[in-house]
């Protein structure tokens, strides 16, 4: 599936150590995508964050994590959003090809094609695509990577609003920048660029100071997910020909044997003497 | 008497159980209308964590292998040429046709945009197992429909179409087996993408092959159950002798399945395996009661030749298959903090689909020659008025 040259496309570098938890990105995202507000309550989810989860109305969300540092209570943050994988699982499983990895980086969703089967939601290792559960004829909703803005040469809404943590630019440059930061401050960061290799590489990459699993990052395979199904699906033509051909040959043999037996039986009826010898 | 009155009188004459089935189907039809009016969120227990619920797990992933009897038996009878089993073929084809039609119904209810179902044929995505299954299910439903036309043509005495259908029989049987192989296995491919979601007891790269082999096993077992119940409750002749032959094939396919399962678990899966007691229990029940026990039962001559014990063993396999599909598509994907269980609307629809299957089978058997099929007795000759023109020239049909 990876027809797109992924080194040229754009990526988000999100440095969670620089995030202040202002949630300007959440607001900017809602405004740009014209998403309705959600009625929320504090502590309705896992912790301090609100809304409790990403949904059809919320494409990105800052997750809060309490922890103690030198006896003081501290917050760590994690910005949840579509990872815009280089080789997206959603695009590979969609029966009508409603998802597409663009050359600019964002994975976009063509709502006019979608039949609403929700296979993308099963396939996505990050749990990103959400469904319009309230509607009679629902569609899928997810972060667009602000594709329309990127096409016009602007940065995505969340990256524009963020005062501290998000850098947006060419993916190879973002990875270089992340690795420079790791080299410069080895004690500040967990020594890992999340998204460099996860799920075959993503267009959203993270740096953090706390272990990734503690912040809520999902442990994902490094192999592009479409490979897992393709290794079986690529055998489809061969399986079709093998079963079809095998059974055709088998029927030809069994029918021929049957016919010969009948012919022999018919001969024996003509010559009753031979029949006795059997 | 008007047509409506005729129908009412006809229905009044049905057995009480058939009337009950009609009631269940009507309730399910109402429940599915509720789904479109109020939305999937309000009427089902599916959510963003569990985007697939009972409708996918049962109506699609389980119903498809349960309808595998048609292609399995077709191949056994016509390709392996075990001709004596032919009387079982028609009931199996009716079951398959009904099964697949109802899979389509279930799938359309589950889709967010059922009116766009045809998009699959317009926007191809060869990398999607769902694309492959949709195309195959559509193609195979058509094949089953053509095969099902035989008794219909017989019923109305359409001898010409009967001849065409008979000529098509072999190609259709082979096509059916090839298409079924693809989509039965691709249902397993669905879950290969759920790498870190499906529990290791079930996740392994052989999933497509395992789905195919187990579908063949359950297809044969469904035929055994079906023929036995038709004998018991519908006054059909006892096909015990034929089922005995079928039961002789089962230890081989079940044995192959168990061997593949053991190999995939020991050699191809990555643990942890026994970290969740509930899943361990489900796994043991599925494999031991659903596959290993009936395997040993079918190896016994006494079981194969006894109508009651044979149908018990077959039911165990069907139980094992259903549990396996639920384990893969539902239980094994669940996270322990948030449990999914089907809502009332979801359950009513699925119950209605099962009831509809039995209902339509009974009705078709009532009005069409499903059981009375003895190929040697059917008149396949072209009637004289088509065959011969008045002056006795060349038969018309032979020109084509």
């Amino acid at each position: 599936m990876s027809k797109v040259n992924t080194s040229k496309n754009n990526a988000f570098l999100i440095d969670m150590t620089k995030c202040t938890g202002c949630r300007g990105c959440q607001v900017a995202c809602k405004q740009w995508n014209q998403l309705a507000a959600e009625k929320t309550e504090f502590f309705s989810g896992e912790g301090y964050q609100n809304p409790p989860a990403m949904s059809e109305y919320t494409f990105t969300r800052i997750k809060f994590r309490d922890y103690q540092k030198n006896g003081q209570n501290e917050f760590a943050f994690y910005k949840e959003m579509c990872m815009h994988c280089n080789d997206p699982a959603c695009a590979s499983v969609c029966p009508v090809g409603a998802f597409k990895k663009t050359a600019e980086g964002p994975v976009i969703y063509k709502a006019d094609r979608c039949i609403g089967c929700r296979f993308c939601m099963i396939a996505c290792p990050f749990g990103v695509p959400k469904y319009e559960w309230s509607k009679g004829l629902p569609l899928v909703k997810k972060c667009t990577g602000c594709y329309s803005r990127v096409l016009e040469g602007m940065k995505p809404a969340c990256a524009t609003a963020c005062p501290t943590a998000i850098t947006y630019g060419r993916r190879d440059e973002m990875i270089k920048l992340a690795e420079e930061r790791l080299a410069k401050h080895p004690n500040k960061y967990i020594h890992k660029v999340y998204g460099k290799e996860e799920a075959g590489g993503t267009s959203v990459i993270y740096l953090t100071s706390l272990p990734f699993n503690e912040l809520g990052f999902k442990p994902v395979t490094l192999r592009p997910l479409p490979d897992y199904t393709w290794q079986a699906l690529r055998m489809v033509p061969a399986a079709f020909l093998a079963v079809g051909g095998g059974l055709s040959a088998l029927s030809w043999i069994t029918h021929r044997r049957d016919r010969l037996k009948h012919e022999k039986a018919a001969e024996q009826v003509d010559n009753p003497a031979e029949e006795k010898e059997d | 008497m008007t047509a409506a009155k005729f129908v009412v009188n006809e229905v009044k004459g049905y057995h009480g159980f058939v009337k009950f089935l009609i009631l269940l189907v009507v309730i399910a039809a109402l429940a599915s209308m509720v789904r479109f009016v109020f939305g999937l969120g309000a009427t089902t227990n599916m959510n963003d964590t569990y985007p697939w619920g009972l409708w996918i797990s049962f109506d699609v992933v389980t119903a498809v292998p349960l309808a595998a009897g048609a292609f399995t038996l077709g191949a056994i009878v016509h390709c392996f040429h075990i001709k004596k089993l032919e009387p079982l073929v028609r009931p199996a084809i009716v079951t398959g046709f009904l099964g697949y039609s109802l899979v389509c119904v279930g799938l359309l209810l589950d889709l967010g945009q059922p009116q766009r179902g045809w998009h699959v044929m317009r926007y191809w995505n060869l990398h999607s197992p769902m694309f492959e299954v949709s195309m195959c299910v559509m193609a195979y439903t058509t094949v089953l429909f053509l095969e099902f036309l035989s008794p219909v043509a017989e019923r109305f005495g359409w001898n010409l179409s009967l001849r065409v259908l008979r000529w098509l029989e072999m190609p259709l049987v082979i096509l059916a087996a090839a298409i079924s192989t693809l989509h039965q296995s691709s249902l397993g491919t669905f879950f290969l993408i759920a790498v870190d979601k499906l529990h290791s007891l079930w996740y392994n790269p052989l999933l497509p092959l395992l789905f195919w082999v187990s579908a063949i096993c359950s297809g044969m077992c469904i035929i055994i159950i079906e023929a036995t119940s038709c004998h018991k409750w519908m006054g059909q002749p006892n096909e015990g002798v034929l089922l005995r032959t079928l039961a002789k094939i089962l230890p081989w396919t079940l044995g192959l399945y168990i061997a593949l399962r053991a190999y995939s678990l020991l050699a191809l899966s990555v643990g942890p395996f026994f970290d969740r007691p509930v899943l361990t229990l489900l796994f043991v029940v599925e494999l031991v009661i659903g596959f290993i026990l009936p395997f040993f039962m079918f190896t016994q001559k006494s079981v194969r030749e006894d109508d009651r014990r044979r149908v018990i063993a077959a039911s165990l396999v069907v139980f094992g298959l259903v549990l396996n599909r639920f384990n893969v598509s539902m239980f094994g994907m669940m996270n322990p903090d948030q449990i999914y269980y089907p809502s009332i609307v979801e359950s009513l629809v699925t119950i209605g689909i099962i009831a509809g299957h039995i209902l339509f089978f009974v009705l078709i058997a009532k009005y069409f020659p499903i059981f009375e099929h003895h190929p040697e007795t059917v008149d396949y000759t072209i009637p004289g008025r088509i065959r011969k023109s008045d002056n006795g020239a060349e038969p018309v049909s032979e020109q084509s």
Side-chain angles (χ1 to χ4, degrees), chain A residues 15-19 67 69 164 181-192 207-211:
Chain A
D15 189 335
M16 296 321 318
T17 64
K18 297 187 178 194
C19 176
Y67 72 105
K69 193 169 141 191
T164 50
R181 285 188 198 168
L182 284 186
K184 220 171 176 182
H185 308 281
N187 298 325
K188 186 176 162 193
Y189 294 106
I190 298 284
H191 198 83
K192 180 181 172 66
L207 293 174
T208 77
S209 57
L210 285 189

Side-chain angles (χ1 to χ4, degrees), chain A:
Chain A
M1 291 290 280
S2 43
K3 289 162 244 159
V4 180
N5 179 359
T6 48
S7 64
K8 289 274 191 313
N9 65 53
N10 295 304
F12 298 76
L13 169 58
I14 309 182
D15 189 335
M16 296 321 318
T17 64
K18 297 187 178 194
C19 176
T20 61
C22 75
R23 287 171 284 184
C25 53
Q26 275 183 224
V27 176
C29 176
K30 286 235 173 195
Q31 284 183 338
W32 180 256
N33 292 297
Q34 296 283 297
L35 300 171
E38 281 187 80
K39 200 162 192 177
T40 59
E41 280 169 44
F42 268 132
F43 304 110
S44 58
E46 284 166 68
Y48 201 73
Q49 65 264 4
N50 237 337
M54 285 194 291
S55 72
E56 54 181 297
Y57 310 109
T58 306
F59 294 169
T60 186
R61 185 188 67 135
I62 296 292
K63 215 170 160 183
F64 286 58
R65 174 167 160 79
D66 303 88
Y67 72 105
Q68 292 216 321
K69 193 169 141 191
N70 307 327
Q72 295 280 313
N73 283 331
E74 296 271 354
F75 271 132
F77 306 103
Y78 161 36
K79 182 182 189 287
E80 262 188 320
M81 62 185 290
C82 174
M83 300 289 286
H84 300 286
C85 306
N86 293 340
D87 197 354
C90 55
S92 87
V93 297
C94 180
V96 291
F99 291 95
K100 188 177 166 241
K101 172 78 179 176
T102 59
E104 293 79 10
V107 173
I108 56 165
Y109 166 68
K110 301 168 191 164
D112 55 331
R113 282 193 184 191
C114 178
I115 59 172
C117 73
R118 308 188 288 288
F119 202 174
C120 49
M121 302 172 70
I122 294 283
C124 176
F126 304 103
V128 167
K130 302 293 177 191
Y131 209 51
E132 297 176 313
W133 292 104
S134 53
K135 294 194 178 164
L137 297 174
L139 287 166
V140 169
K141 290 278 195 170
K142 81 165 193 69
C143 162
T144 60
C146 284
Y147 186 54
S148 56
R149 291 175 62 96
V150 174
L151 280 184
E152 295 297 321
M154 289 187 281
K155 286 180 183 175
C158 59
T160 310
C162 181
T164 50
I166 306 178
T167 323
Y168 190 79
R170 270 181 48 178
R171 185 170 185 267
D172 46 0
E173 283 167 15
M174 293 300 111
I175 289 174
K176 219 171 100 194
L177 186 60
E179 279 166 351
E180 277 168 17
R181 285 188 198 168
L182 284 186
K184 220 171 176 182
H185 308 281
N187 298 325
K188 186 176 162 193
Y189 294 106
I190 298 284
H191 198 83
K192 180 181 172 66
V193 181
Y194 186 97
K196 189 185 172 190
E197 289 172 324
E198 272 69 18
T202 63
S203 284
V204 180
I205 51 183
Y206 293 95
L207 293 174
T208 77
S209 57
L210 285 189
F212 286 88
N213 58 344
E214 282 183 27
L215 281 171
F217 284 82
K218 296 202 167 71
V220 294
T221 167
L222 300 188
R223 193 172 160 199
L225 277 99
D227 281 7
Y228 287 88
T229 43
W230 186 241
Q231 64 179 2
L233 275 175
R234 68 194 170 88
M235 304 214 243
V236 158
F240 185 80
L241 292 177
V243 173
L247 287 180
S248 305
L250 183 68
S251 342
W252 186 78
I253 294 168
T254 51
H255 281 86
R256 184 168 178 273
R257 194 192 292 155
D258 200 47
R259 202 182 62 230
L260 292 179
K261 214 168 82 188
H262 279 297
E263 278 170 12
K264 209 177 168 195
E267 272 173 32
Q268 283 169 351
V269 173
D270 293 340
N271 297 318
E274 267 178 45
E275 200 178 17
K276 276 178 190 169
E277 283 170 21
D278 276 355

Side-chain angles (χ1 to χ4, degrees), chain B residues 146-167:
Chain B
L146 289 175
E147 293 185 314
F148 169 70
L149 273 183
S150 283
V152 178
E154 245 174 64
R155 163 77 174 75
F156 296 111
W158 301 333
N159 292 31
L160 190 64
S161 28
L162 252 181
R163 267 215 149 175
V164 175
L165 288 170
R166 204 171 148 76
W167 176 73

